[in-house]
Amino acid sequence: MKVLVYGGSASGKSSFAEEKAVSLFESSSSQLKSLVYLATMDRNSGGDSEERIRRHREMRQGKGFSTIESSVSDCDSLLSDLLEKLSCAAESSVGSSVLLEDVGNLVARVVFADFSKVQEHRDDSFFSDKIFSFAEKASSICSDIVFVSNDIFLEKIDLSDIGMLCYFKTLSSINKRLSSFSDEVFRVVAGIPIELKKVEN
């Protein structure tokens, strides 16, 4: 099962996505199943990153999540490192449910890892292809995956900045591709999940 949950800042998307991942985990009949939190935020990015990490850890406390993260900065090495760690976690279990949080942070780390690549590849496909390939591979490793993504498209963004324009276009592209790829899609508004897509088995 592949699920995309997206919403604006403080919309409640994280709580709903977490509940969804736990529900998928608990519905598995495997006795050797695992529940994995794939953390994409760079804890060294500054700002309120440490506070946000602390908040999300508190939310997950006692729910059985093991956490995978990477401090690698190069974009290709980052994606490879996360996949390798996820694969290792999956090998020790039979059926894993993964919560990837969040797509926006992953896009930022890939796009801004090397500004020369942003200048060289101003269209969204170069970075979008890398991230979508990662999403496909991650999905093939686990039984269920819940992608959490960001709805930033109503916010005021300085699109005269090349980096921000590339980030905006890449996130927009990857959200569309994940929507098509996923079995279920939810948009969360003011804490209310709105089902946009459900593929019947």
Side-chain angles (χ1 to χ4, degrees), residues 29-94:
S29 58
S30 172
Q31 297 300 308
L32 297 173
K33 58 192 177 182
S34 61
L35 184 59
V36 178
Y37 183 84
L38 188 54
T40 63
M41 179 177 284
D42 180 3
R43 62 174 58 252
N44 299 314
S45 60
D48 64 346
S49 58
E50 285 292 345
E51 173 60 22
R52 290 169 65 189
I53 289 170
R54 184 194 63 77
R55 258 195 336 264
H56 282 282
R57 278 182 174 167
E58 286 181 356
M59 286 172 59
R60 301 193 307 274
Q61 194 169 7
K63 296 179 181 177
F65 281 97
S66 60
T67 301
I68 291 173
E69 57 187 337
S70 177
S71 60
V72 176
S73 56
D74 174 75
C75 69
D76 291 324
S77 299
L78 166 66
L79 299 177
S80 297
D81 188 44
L82 288 173
L83 282 175
E84 184 178 346
K85 289 176 178 176
L86 182 58
S87 183
C88 288
E91 284 176 2
S92 62
S93 64
V94 178

Side-chain angles (χ1 to χ4, degrees), residues 14 32 36 51 76 104 109 115-116 122 136 153 173 198:
S14 294
L32 297 173
V36 178
E51 173 60 22
D76 291 324
R109 291 183 70 178
F115 191 70
S116 65
R122 296 192 183 190
E136 288 183 309
F153 307 104
S173 172
K198 183 168 185 177

Side-chain angles (χ1 to χ4, degrees), residues 6-198:
Y6 78 99
S9 178
S11 63
K13 64 183 181 296
S14 294
S15 296
F16 175 73
E18 197 174 281
E19 290 171 7
K20 189 71 177 175
V22 170
S23 174
L24 290 168
F25 169 71
E26 291 177 344
S27 66
S28 170
S29 58
S30 172
Q31 297 300 308
L32 297 173
K33 58 192 177 182
S34 61
L35 184 59
V36 178
Y37 183 84
L38 188 54
T40 63
M41 179 177 284
D42 180 3
R43 62 174 58 252
N44 299 314
S45 60
D48 64 346
S49 58
E50 285 292 345
E51 173 60 22
R52 290 169 65 189
I53 289 170
R54 184 194 63 77
R55 258 195 336 264
H56 282 282
R57 278 182 174 167
E58 286 181 356
M59 286 172 59
R60 301 193 307 274
Q61 194 169 7
K63 296 179 181 177
F65 281 97
S66 60
T67 301
I68 291 173
E69 57 187 337
S70 177
S71 60
V72 176
S73 56
D74 174 75
C75 69
D76 291 324
S77 299
L78 166 66
L79 299 177
S80 297
D81 188 44
L82 288 173
L83 282 175
E84 184 178 346
K85 289 176 178 176
L86 182 58
S87 183
C88 288
E91 284 176 2
S92 62
S93 64
V94 178
S96 56
S97 297
V98 175
L99 175 59
L100 186 154
E101 189 166 20
D102 60 36
V103 175
N105 283 321
L106 186 61
V107 169
R109 291 183 70 178
V110 169
V111 168
F112 296 117
D114 185 347
F115 191 70
S116 65
K117 290 181 180 178
V118 173
Q119 293 176 308
E120 182 182 354
H121 304 281
R122 296 192 183 190
D123 63 298
D124 59 280
S125 60
F126 176 78
F127 297 106
S128 178
D129 287 348
K130 284 181 179 292
I131 296 166
F132 187 66
S133 175
F134 167 82
E136 288 183 309
K137 290 173 183 175
S139 300
S140 70
I141 292 170
C142 56
S143 301
D144 306 296
I145 187 164
V146 180
F147 301 99
V148 183
S149 195
N150 317 77
D151 185 3
I152 64 168
F153 307 104
L154 297 177
E155 298 178 16
K156 186 176 181 180
I157 298 174
D158 181 10
L159 298 183
S160 65
D161 180 282
I162 295 173
M164 284 305 299
L165 177 60
C166 185
Y167 171 79
F168 183 91
K169 291 171 69 176
T170 302
L171 182 58
S172 176
S173 172
I174 201 67
N175 278 351
K176 285 186 284 188
R177 294 175 78 170
L178 287 176
S179 293
S180 178
F181 179 60
S182 297
D183 302 300
E184 296 182 357
V185 178
F186 296 88
R187 184 185 185 198
V188 182
V189 180
I192 301 171
I194 302 165
E195 185 178 82
L196 301 179
K197 176 184 177 182
K198 183 168 185 177

